[in-house]
Amino acid sequence: MSQDVKTLPENLHGVHLHLVGIKGTGMAALAEILAARGADITGSDVAERFYTDEILERLGITPLPFSADNIKDDIRCVIYSSAYSPEKTPDLEQAVKRGLPMMLYSEALGAVSAQSYGCGICGVHGKTTTTGLTGTILKELDMPSQVLAGSIIASFGDTEYGRPSKGSCTMTSPAYAHNSTNIFVAETCEYQRHFMAFHPKKIILTAVESDHQDYYPTYEDIRAAFVDYACLLPEEGELIYCADDKGACEAADMAKKKRGDLKLIPYGEGASGEYKLTFGKVEGGRQFFSIGNMGEFAICVPGRHNARNSAAAVALCCRLLTEYGRNPSDYLEAIKRGLLNFRGGRRRSEIIARSKTPLGQDLIIIDDYGHHPTAIKTTLAGYREFYRGHKIIVDFMSHTYTRTAALLEEFASSFSSADSVIINRIYGSAREDASASPVNGEILAERASCHHEKVVYRGEFDQAADEVFRQLGQDSGKAYPDGYVFVTMGAGDNWKVGQILLEKLSGTKAQEQI
């Protein structure tokens, strides 16, 4: 399948690039990648402070207000987020008037991949974590690589390029080379087929399910997008796919029928051969598992889905080692060390604080981005296994009315591993008309109560925090001697419930904020 290729200069040293919407997670990460390649970066965005401001400050970039005056004579290209329109944004209007080259974020990501050995990580679930795991392993290997994830990854810490220990959205290895031998691994997004601008030599496919119903009305529509993406692989290109996910298996089979030359590499429990996953024990804050005949591995993050993500990352790194003429068996200790170093990402099972309940019991507060029924179910199941002695309370905010309506029963039945469920109002998209939606948060709570005996609707965050505080005022019981885990879950902004709760708890017991 042909691609409309947009390019960046091969040598970016001293090249001025202007990024519009630079505070977006992907855009800030792209700024890191381009700066590491020598580009001079300026950018514009809204005045509101985001967590990505920390990333930009480390790069010496001060985001400017949107203005036509930002477009200087020496700018070689303007890169912009899809959230901003050339017809309504002053920087972009001016760039159009001047006839400057312009690229969407996805196109710029594609241009970077075209100049490297590009590896795309895709899937409805798990792509950020899998990208983080891959980058954390590559950091331990002496191969030239850059990695871009869709969130801050704690283990993308200090490197030759000065990343701080609190983490980053990108990893540039000490062995990074400023030429086409460089490996570039990126999280690539299926929404609106953005990943079709990427130039992959290898692809990881984690999962295919119905999602983004505003763009993909049917499951067949979104599956077709993943098939088309796989068909961008070069001759005898490698598609590493999850053998435990029905949709990923279907997409892989369909891609193989279109492109008989593709190499299909399965991983997971259902795989045979090199990357077959065998689950082991959960003990001492670690989850153990085996991959093929490579022996036992361990990670410090919960959930069997993360063992699968680990197997995917190991498979890709082993294939890259082979591609670069290395024997993967010589690097097993480094790979195992990389997996153990992984501590998750921002809003991916992120431990926000450790505190005490009003009765003095231990409390762990976690924030997670899970916003699809399968992700909710598997993530909570992971917490149930990892935090066996804790009572689990989850506060969930569904993201988009279209997704909630299309998957209402799946959402309603996804909380079985939690002991108590609090449902917030729906976090809608600007593209939606909430008044015309057949669902709302109250309806979701009502349906969830048919599957779970302890469900309440608390639309606003202060109401939800009050409810959590009330529940924490009760002893967790003999079945849960270790206290409580409280989880805020969803792609909206209900992480604020955890912050409100911490403020309420500060008047009772001291807490340690992570």
Side-chain angles (χ1 to χ4, degrees):
M1 182 168 294
S2 64
Q3 290 169 285
D4 181 15
V5 179
K6 292 192 177 183
T7 62
L8 289 168
E10 285 194 22
N11 185 349
L12 287 175
H13 282 275
V15 174
H16 184 181
L17 303 173
H18 184 69
L19 277 59
V20 178
I22 195 169
K23 293 188 183 185
T25 301
M27 291 288 282
L30 181 63
E32 286 189 285
I33 292 291
L34 296 172
R37 295 185 176 212
D40 293 333
I41 307 295
T42 57
S44 57
D45 214 313
V46 297
E48 182 182 354
R49 186 171 178 83
F50 296 95
Y51 73 85
T52 52
D53 278 287
E54 298 173 15
I55 296 171
L56 299 173
E57 286 164 2
R58 297 198 300 264
L59 295 173
I61 298 171
T62 302
L64 304 165
F66 296 122
S67 171
D69 294 338
N70 295 333
I71 305 304
K72 307 298 184 183
D73 292 338
D74 65 337
I75 290 176
R76 294 280 296 276
C77 183
V78 175
I79 299 168
Y80 63 102
S81 162
S82 59
Y84 297 98
S85 164
E87 292 77 29
K88 296 180 180 179
T89 310
D91 307 52
L92 300 179
E93 288 181 289
Q94 183 66 13
V96 170
K97 284 181 183 178
R98 293 194 180 200
L100 289 176
M102 296 171 63
M103 290 187 193
L104 281 165
Y105 162 78
S106 55
E107 294 170 333
L109 197 65
V112 172
S113 71
Q115 296 172 357
S116 311
Y117 193 95
C119 302
I121 298 181
C122 69
V124 172
H125 321 297
K127 51 184 175 284
T128 299
T129 298
T130 304
T131 307
L133 285 158
T134 301
T136 308
I137 295 171
L138 285 173
K139 192 177 171 187
E140 298 293 323
L141 305 179
D142 58 342
M143 292 194 296
S145 57
Q146 284 188 310
V147 180
L148 183 151
S151 181
I152 286 181
I153 303 298
S155 49
F156 285 5
D158 292 316
T159 72
E160 176 183 354
Y161 291 92
R163 305 293 190 263
S165 59
K166 67 172 60 177
S168 173
C169 295
T170 69
M171 188 285 297
T172 298
S173 74
Y176 173 72
H178 291 276
N179 55 50
S180 59
T181 65
N182 176 55
I183 297 164
F184 180 56
V185 179
E187 176 179 339
T188 55
C189 181
E190 72 276 8
Y191 186 59
Q192 295 182 342
R193 290 179 167 247
H194 287 316
F195 54 20
M196 295 302 290
F198 202 77
H199 295 261
K201 299 291 195 301
K202 290 176 172 44
I203 289 174
I204 288 177
L205 174 57
T206 62
V208 179
E209 287 191 63
S210 179
D211 200 10
H212 304 299
Q213 286 80 9
D214 60 324
Y215 189 80
Y216 299 112
T218 69
Y219 163 70
E220 288 74 20
D221 292 329
I222 195 169
R223 184 182 63 189
F226 284 105
V227 171
D228 288 345
Y229 182 44
C231 288
L232 293 181
L233 286 164
E235 187 174 355
E236 297 190 351
E238 295 179 339
L239 177 62
I240 302 166
Y241 71 98
C242 183
D244 302 334
D245 183 83
K246 181 182 177 183
C249 292
E250 289 178 356
D253 289 343
M254 292 173 72
K256 181 70 172 178
K257 287 177 182 176
K258 281 190 169 187
R259 287 275 310 278
D261 62 291
L262 292 181
K263 294 182 179 178
L264 301 186
I265 300 174
Y267 68 89
E269 269 191 296
S272 57
E274 292 179 90
Y275 308 112
K276 178 176 177 57
L277 175 66
T278 304
F279 293 110
K281 61 188 176 183
V282 176
E283 184 177 87
R286 293 183 178 184
Q287 182 173 196
F288 294 87
F289 52 90
S290 298
I291 301 174
N293 61 4
M294 290 184 277
E296 188 174 65
F297 297 79
I299 52 176
C300 299
V301 290
R304 291 190 168 208
H305 59 296
N306 281 325
R308 290 189 180 92
N309 294 336
S310 299
V314 169
L316 176 58
C317 290
C318 287
R319 302 307 300 173
L320 284 170
L321 284 164
T322 301
E323 191 77 35
Y324 277 62
R326 318 282 181 86
N327 185 345
S329 63
D330 294 336
Y331 291 83
L332 284 181
E333 290 308 310
I335 291 171
K336 292 178 180 182
R337 188 165 60 246
L339 288 181
L340 269 180
N341 286 343
F342 182 74
R343 289 295 185 275
R346 182 72 64 92
R347 302 216 65 204
R348 271 69 179 180
S349 294
E350 180 184 10
I351 296 179
I352 301 299
R354 297 179 187 273
S355 185
K356 296 288 185 181
T357 72
L359 296 181
Q361 291 187 287
D362 289 336
L363 168 65
I364 302 171
I365 299 178
I366 297 175
D367 183 47
D368 189 79
Y369 192 70
H371 57 281
H372 186 282
T374 301
I376 296 165
K377 190 171 185 177
T378 56
T379 301
L380 291 176
Y383 296 159
R384 180 76 287 151
E385 187 174 21
F386 210 72
Y387 300 107
R388 290 177 185 168
H390 294 76
K391 195 169 192 175
I392 298 174
I393 303 171
V394 60
D395 177 271
F396 177 67
M397 184 179 212
S398 194
H399 181 228
T400 80
Y401 289 90
T402 51
R403 180 186 285 121
T404 310
L407 304 173
L408 180 61
E409 289 306 315
E410 290 90 339
F411 274 115
S413 61
S414 62
F415 301 101
S416 57
S417 293
D419 296 287
S420 176
V421 183
I422 301 165
I423 303 292
N424 306 142
R425 56 181 166 77
I426 291 174
Y427 186 86
S429 162
R431 299 181 297 271
E432 298 179 305
D433 178 7
S435 64
S437 173
V439 298
N440 56 33
E442 290 178 279
I443 291 172
L444 174 56
E446 181 182 325
R447 295 305 307 155
S449 66
C450 296
H451 300 271
H452 198 293
E453 63 179 14
K454 293 186 178 179
V455 180
V456 295
Y457 175 73
R458 298 291 183 267
E460 302 306 319
F461 299 155
D462 56 347
Q463 297 171 340
D466 286 344
E467 176 63 27
V468 181
F469 189 80
R470 185 191 68 77
Q471 293 188 28
L472 293 178
Q474 304 168 20
D475 189 278
S476 58
K478 291 182 180 179
Y480 302 112
D482 297 332
Y484 284 87
V485 167
F486 171 58
V487 186
T488 52
M489 182 169 279
D493 57 351
N494 63 321
W495 54 267
K496 294 175 182 177
V497 177
Q499 299 302 312
I500 298 170
L501 177 64
L502 280 173
E503 292 173 8
K504 293 176 73 68
L505 290 169
S506 66
T508 56
K509 299 285 182 181
Q511 72 271 353
E512 174 194 351
Q513 193 145 351
I514 302 301

